[in-house]
Amino acid sequence: MTSKRLVMGTRGSQLALWQTNFIQAQLTARYPDLEIDVRTIRTLGDKILDSPLSRIGDKGLFTKELERHLLDGSIDLAVHSLKDLPTAIPAGLAIGAVTKREDVRDVFIPHPESSHRAFNDLPHGTVVATGSLRRKCQLLSHRPDLSIVDIRGNVNTRFEKLTASNWSGMILARAGVARLGLEASIGEILPFDVMLPAVGQGALALEIRQNDERVAELLRFLHDDATASAVWSERALLRRLEGGCQVPIGAYGRMEGNELRLDALIGSLEGTRVVRGSMSGVPERAEALGIALANELRGRGGQEILDEINAAGRSAPVPEA
């Protein structure tokens, strides 16, 4: 590889390609002489579409194959939605940059033929689709009358499934909907007291080989310090709770003045119990803040929820890849 060439790896979904093309455009504008190749790589999460994420397992579900190509040198940079990236980065790899975050909130997408645009206007017992236990927990905590169905696939596939269904609507991340130009389909942007986002939601992570100073330097201008502090606190909380797709955990870190504030929750699978908390601190101690809030949530009932979910997970069958 010459110093003027960069190979980027990405998943093949329309949203993943949008994200990669966005980063490529930023790099090309900054370095006009840089030759950039894009390689599309299919991940396990793209191959298994008939099982809930919580039953497949989440350790690198959308990232492992990309990381394998990074380690063997066939790509120089992997573009991820940060919320897909496990908190444990494989040895030899590092996050080279975290981009400025888009809107972190989730949105309610009503069925195209539904007369109910707002989430709270939905009739009693209505059906809402989501592929996330975090969302399911918070939806049922707010509206225990709802019936929740699982939905998988990329954003466009989910829209197709919604249109073909008798569901009242589905929940998606606003960032992905906006990036694909589908904001007109949004019925309501859900407030944080109804729905805390996933860890890292709205930000992109640019993963590189550790000690690859050339690529690290190329990416430096894309890194956003405020976003990085926020997501480091969220990822530290998630790591301390040992959670992922199998555990309903929401978190939202952001700068408020000179302080970093982190809100988070742990919930039971059916939303009957939710433990919420908030802490603030200096951004330089973002990870310590996340760990401290995780410990507080554990001590206020979160540990019992985690123990119950982990015990149930050990007894549940796992589908074959």
Side-chain angles (χ1 to χ4, degrees), residues 13 49 79 105 118 127 134 163 199 203 215-216 219 230 254 269 315:
S13 73
L49 298 175
V79 181
R105 291 174 293 178
V127 179
R134 169 188 62 85
T163 300
V199 166
V215 177
L219 301 180
R254 72 275 190 196
L269 295 177
S315 62

Side-chain angles (χ1 to χ4, degrees), residues 22 24 30 61 82 136-137 139 229 232 237 249 257 288 312:
F22 171 76
Q24 181 180 11
R30 183 84 168 196
L61 189 61
L82 184 57
K136 177 182 178 181
C137 164
L139 289 172
S229 294
W232 295 156
L237 176 135
I249 293 171

